[in-house]
């Protein structure tokens, strides 16, 4: 377990009361720690929501800003968070996907939660925004992470906005386009001679070393705060449905954290009385080339056997997902499932979503749409129920996946040539 | 002048009452026409806002959706527009740019209106959304345009969402990345053997031919409707400032339409009593490699001499801007100016905006930020006044501009190597 030696000032993180172990319930004060000192289980935020009146809370949320800070009373952030420089992600469109529904045979209402509208065009802005507030609260001056893509941009941009130093670690041989996207924000961008596992190992070493003092690694020592950002997806979906729970949600699985936090967010809304207490089903989506949770689900296992990823859905390519067991539990408990699709099915689903709804998703969005189609075919997902599918990223960042797409015709600049091509 | 032969059903475009010639004031009924039959001047929308009560209108806007349709009472769209499938762009962040302000020496408040948050990540979604509603009203079944970039994606995506056919014309030898971005939405994407001028000439031919019946060219026969979308930038900026006019705006110039419509929008808000009647200055921004309006401004001319574009700011590279004379008039009338910056200055400005505010702009955003810096240096822009700078597009679409950006260090995966690199 990494305990930071940095001096922690008085911490105001709003309703966050303590850190609590998800396994044994042991509580510790808020701080930059992520693993239980008793059982090494993951720490998560324990809140004090006891003072809230349901209708006053609802009114406060509805009159809040058009970003995640409308939910500040439910997040580990200070009450004045909206006044501080941050990327202010969220309140992304919940698209009523009538044309996609018609293609898939969904009659109960199909919606795409399109997180490509976030500032750096992925859902990572939601989690990094929380980590940034925690970093400020703990007096950190450097925001850091290991990454091969979306997270690097989100951390670089958020640190730039806030005036913090950033230092992002990536494998040294990443594609040039991804390096440019991460480097443009002007922070330190350090290539590590090794693969992504080497980068991660190095970051763990750095956190335990004096050289890492004052560093907030968003998904390591700030992970309990960071992870809470995914709850905002659940809040927004329900509020955008008119404070209703969807019947079914299809969520991508990388580490599994997002899916578990969406479940947590839905349960909070029920407990707070903001939505009615009714069943909902959560479905997890993976790429076949990195499907450790799907494989465990299908085999009826409670534990997840690590895989070596080989898929175009690189933003989901975590072969040893930390929250895998929790995902299995949620899928089974809610009556959902975990399913996977092949790379060609991912590409087909990206194109299907684009041509029916005008949403250009990254590969992770192809995974959720493709899995939705597969779950309908198998009967696991009920097409007569209200269903929300997540798109967590932007197709502009994974152009290679659809590189085969091109011109439908080439003509000379005259009407005869136009007619010959059968375009009239 | 192109008069469509398509049958026009009864047209409900909300407060839009007629088309009116900007030059001679001649009025014609709403229809898919764009040039005055009397004087060949440009037609624009004439509204009937006479029934509006200021405070009721303000309340209606404030309770509207978090997109451009909150301003439906001020746009050429039916009252139920928000219920129809459309990309629903707008309500993008107005970022209080404190760190950029400090670098530029702005003390009166500096804001960046960041339109990269739109569905296809450029301001073009605003104008295409209007054109789509007009296309529906006129019974068009195909949405079309000529384009080399942002517009192609916006038209393809909007048509997909609405279930219209799209047919986009581009030069056949465009970069593969741009072709993919335009092709993914599944409409017709036709390469024309020729340059952009040839593509445009062909589109004009097609509009006048029976083969073009039922086709809405967003920026040709639907241009009067399309252009109104830019007004929403003015509306949002003022509402996001708390229903206040900014003192100074810096707006990019391609055809000049956006700048003229922002001025129109500000004047409408004043006339409607939604903001106080006070002076504001509008500054136009161009790239030196395509600066016909800036050149005319500096020479004191009222007309614009066409140029052959040669700049990395391709989304602004219109050498013969249709609204150039109107831009000159607005800049002079409001006490603004028109200025240009070199390609290296554009790149520097993109990096400056990214490292101070975490906003990764396309080259057009580099133009406005660079011009802002230059106008402050020259004294034309007053740093003690509230200033809004537009970023109209996304850096992910013009990665080549900052391709030189890269790793700040490469190290081996251990702490010694980290320390040697001076990163601790």
């Amino acid at each position: 377990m990494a305990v930071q030696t940095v001096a922690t000032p008085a911490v105001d993180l709003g309703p966050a009361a303590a850190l609590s172990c998800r396994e044994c319930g042991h509580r510790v004060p808020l701080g930059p720690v992520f693993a239980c000192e008793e059982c090494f289980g993951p720490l998560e935020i324990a809140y004090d929501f006891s003072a809230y009146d349901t209708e006053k809370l609802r009114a406060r949320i509805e009159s809040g800003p058009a970003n995640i800070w409308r939910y500040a009373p439910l997040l580990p952030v200070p009450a004045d968070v909206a006044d501080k420089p941050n990327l202010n992600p969220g309140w992304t469109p919940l698209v009523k996907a009538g044309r996609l529904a018609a293609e898939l045979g969904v009659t109960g209402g199909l919606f795409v939660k399109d997180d490509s509208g976030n500032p750096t065009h992925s859902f990572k802005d939601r989690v990094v925004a929380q980590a940034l507030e925690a970093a400020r609260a703990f007096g950190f001056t450097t925001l850091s992470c290991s990454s091969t893509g979306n997270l690097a941009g989100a951390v670089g941009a958020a640190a730039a906005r806030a005036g913090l130093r950033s230092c992002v670690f990536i494998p040294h041989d990443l594609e040039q386009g991804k390096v440019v996207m991460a480097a443009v924000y002007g922070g330190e961008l350090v290539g590590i001679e090794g693969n992504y596992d080497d980068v991660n190992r190095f970051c763990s070493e750095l956190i335990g070393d004096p050289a890492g003092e004052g560093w907030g690694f968003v998904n390591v020592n700030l992970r309990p705060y960071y992870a809470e950002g995914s709850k905002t997806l659940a809040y927004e979906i329900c509020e955008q449905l008119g404070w209703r729970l969807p019947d079914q949600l299809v969520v991508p699985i990388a580490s599994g954290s997002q899916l578990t936090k969406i479940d947590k967010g839905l349960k909070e809304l029920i407990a707070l009385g903001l939505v009615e207490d009714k069943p909902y089903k959560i479905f997890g989506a993976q790429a076949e080339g990195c499907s450790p949770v799907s494989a465990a689900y299908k085999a009826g296992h409670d534990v997840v056997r690590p895989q070596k990823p080989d898929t175009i859905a690189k933003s989901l390519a975590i072969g040893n997902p930390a929250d895998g067991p929790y995902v299995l539990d949620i899928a089974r408990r809610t009556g959902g499932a975990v399913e996977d699709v092949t790379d060609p099915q991912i590409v087909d689903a990206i194109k299907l979503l684009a041509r029916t709804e005008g949403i250009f998703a990254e590969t992770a969005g192809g995974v959720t749409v493709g899995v939705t189609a597969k779950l309908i075919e198998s009967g696991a997902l009920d097409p007569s129920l209200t269903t929300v599918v997540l798109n967590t990223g932007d197709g502009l960042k994974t152009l290679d996946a659809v590189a085969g797409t091109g011109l439908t015709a080439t003509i000379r600049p005259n009407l005869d040539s136009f007619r010959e091509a059968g375009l009239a």
Side-chain angles (χ1 to χ4, degrees), chain A residues 5 15 70 73 78 93-94 108 116 121 144 154 177 182 204 251 269-270 273 297 334 354 362 405:
Chain A
T5 54
R70 64 199 286 112
L94 183 72
S116 66
H121 306 322
S144 185
S204 299
V251 180
L269 293 185
I270 291 172
Y297 177 84
T334 66
E362 73 149 279
T405 317

Side-chain angles (χ1 to χ4, degrees), chain A residues 75-117:
Chain A
L75 295 169
V77 295
D80 64 347
V81 62
D83 300 331
K84 299 177 188 225
N86 199 317
L87 287 187
N88 306 333
W91 205 239
T92 55
L94 183 72
V95 177
K96 186 155 175 44
R99 283 167 41 77
L100 179 61
E103 294 251 1
L104 297 181
V106 176
T107 56
L110 181 64
F111 298 84
V112 176
K113 179 64 175 171
D114 183 13
D115 244 17
S116 66

Side-chain angles (χ1 to χ4, degrees), chain A residues 100-340:
Chain A
L100 179 61
E103 294 251 1
L104 297 181
V106 176
T107 56
L110 181 64
F111 298 84
V112 176
K113 179 64 175 171
D114 183 13
D115 244 17
S116 66
N118 279 317
T120 71
H121 306 322
S122 90
F123 98 98
K124 291 288 186 191
D125 290 326
R126 296 178 184 271
V127 285
V128 170
Q130 315 296 323
L132 171 58
E133 295 306 320
R136 272 201 268 248
F138 299 135
F140 289 143
T141 50
T142 298
L143 211 58
S144 185
C145 70
S146 55
S147 174
T148 63
N150 286 328
L151 188 57
V155 166
R161 177 75 59 87
L164 294 184
R165 181 180 180 234
S166 71
C167 188
V168 169
F169 297 96
I170 59 175
H172 72 118
D173 54 357
L174 267 196
E175 304 94 303
Q176 181 58 16
K178 286 189 181 169
V179 173
V180 170
M181 282 185 225
V184 73
Y185 301 105
E188 304 281 351
L189 183 68
V190 179
I192 300 275
E193 290 173 3
N195 62 23
Y196 185 63
D197 288 334
D198 295 319
V199 178
N200 266 331
R201 253 192 308 274
F202 167 73
C203 288
S204 299
E205 233 188 303
L206 183 54
I207 288 175
D209 188 88
E213 255 185 52
W215 288 48
F217 284 82
V218 299
N219 54 350
V220 187
N221 57 348
L222 299 177
R223 190 170 186 84
Y225 310 89
Y226 167 93
E228 295 293 288
S230 292
K231 292 196 310 180
T232 59
L233 279 161
Y235 300 156
E236 291 182 16
I237 288 166
C238 291
E239 185 180 353
Q240 288 170 324
L241 286 173
W243 293 111
R244 288 196 308 113
L245 288 166
D247 300 315
Q248 304 174 129
L249 294 102
V250 185
V251 180
I253 301 170
S255 74
S257 169
Q258 185 184 68
L259 188 147
T260 64
K261 294 299 179 180
I262 285 174
D263 180 58
K264 187 182 182 199
L266 297 176
K267 287 197 286 190
E268 286 174 353
L269 293 185
I270 291 172
L272 288 160
L274 287 165
V275 297
E276 69 173 325
D277 187 1
K278 75 160 199 69
Y280 57 83
K281 297 180 184 184
I282 300 187
F283 298 83
Q286 297 207 293
E288 188 185 80
C290 181
S291 53
V293 188
S294 174
Y297 177 84
K298 291 174 182 175
H301 295 161
D302 293 331
V303 293
V304 171
R305 185 192 302 252
Q307 291 184 358
K308 193 167 152 40
D310 179 18
T311 169
I312 57 169
K314 297 205 186 300
S315 63
L316 303 182
I318 295 183
N320 188 13
D323 284 353
Y326 301 110
V327 168
L328 291 170
D329 176 59
I330 291 166
R332 289 177 179 137
R333 174 169 50 75
T334 66
V338 185
E339 189 49 276
D340 56 84

Side-chain angles (χ1 to χ4, degrees), chain A residues 374-420:
Chain A
K374 196 166 171 184
L375 290 168
I376 290 170
E377 275 167 36
S378 74
L381 193 137
D382 184 343
S384 73
L385 299 177
T386 303
T387 303
V388 175
V389 179
L390 265 63
N391 172 40
T392 52
D394 200 294
L396 290 181
K397 294 193 185 182
T398 55
L399 278 178
D400 287 352
V402 289
T405 317
L407 297 174
T408 48
T410 303
I411 64 171
R412 294 179 305 284
N414 62 60
L415 289 167
D416 284 345
S417 181
F418 177 78
R419 288 196 183 88
E420 281 162 23

